Amino acid sequence: MTLRFVGIDPSTGGEGSPTVWVEEESADLVLQGEEADELLKALVGSTEWVAGHKTGIPAHERVIRIPARMVPILREACDAAERAAAEHRDVR
């Protein structure tokens, strides 16, 4: 597994900070962020966001919060993931 570091919260204080990577082989985005508070998790878990889709947050998933100031970093990560996915399609 190869992770490509894309960026870290520009307001980081040197401890656990929201961070974004792209996993090169799968082109998946990998995010580290603050776990959502109970109110946000309750909202996410109790709302039927897509008609007919089961509500709730599965035990293996987490709701995280990424600060808006990281939008440019997420755009860069999306572009990198798209390029990585295209490279893997070309190889196969």
Side-chain angles (χ1 to χ4, degrees):
M1 176 184 309
T2 304
L3 291 177
R4 177 180 178 264
F5 171 79
V6 178
I8 193 167
D9 182 349
S11 296
T12 184
E15 292 190 19
S17 299
T19 307
V20 180
W21 301 266
V22 173
E23 199 274 300
E24 293 286 353
E25 290 76 20
S26 68
D28 289 344
L29 296 179
V30 178
L31 304 173
Q32 174 184 323
E34 179 181 337
E35 187 169 0
D37 61 29
E38 294 305 316
L39 181 62
L40 182 55
K41 288 192 282 189
L43 174 64
V44 169
S46 66
T47 303
E48 184 181 34
W49 298 101
V50 176
H53 193 276
K54 187 176 177 182
T55 60
I57 302 168
H60 67 282
E61 295 183 357
R62 299 291 178 270
V63 176
I64 63 169
R65 182 183 291 274
I66 300 292
R69 63 184 166 265
M70 291 187 66
V71 167
I73 295 168
L74 289 171
R75 280 192 192 107
E76 182 181 340
C78 289
D79 290 345
E82 192 171 52
R83 285 190 302 271
E87 289 171 11
H88 289 288
R89 278 193 301 269
D90 292 342
V91 172
R92 294 182 184 143

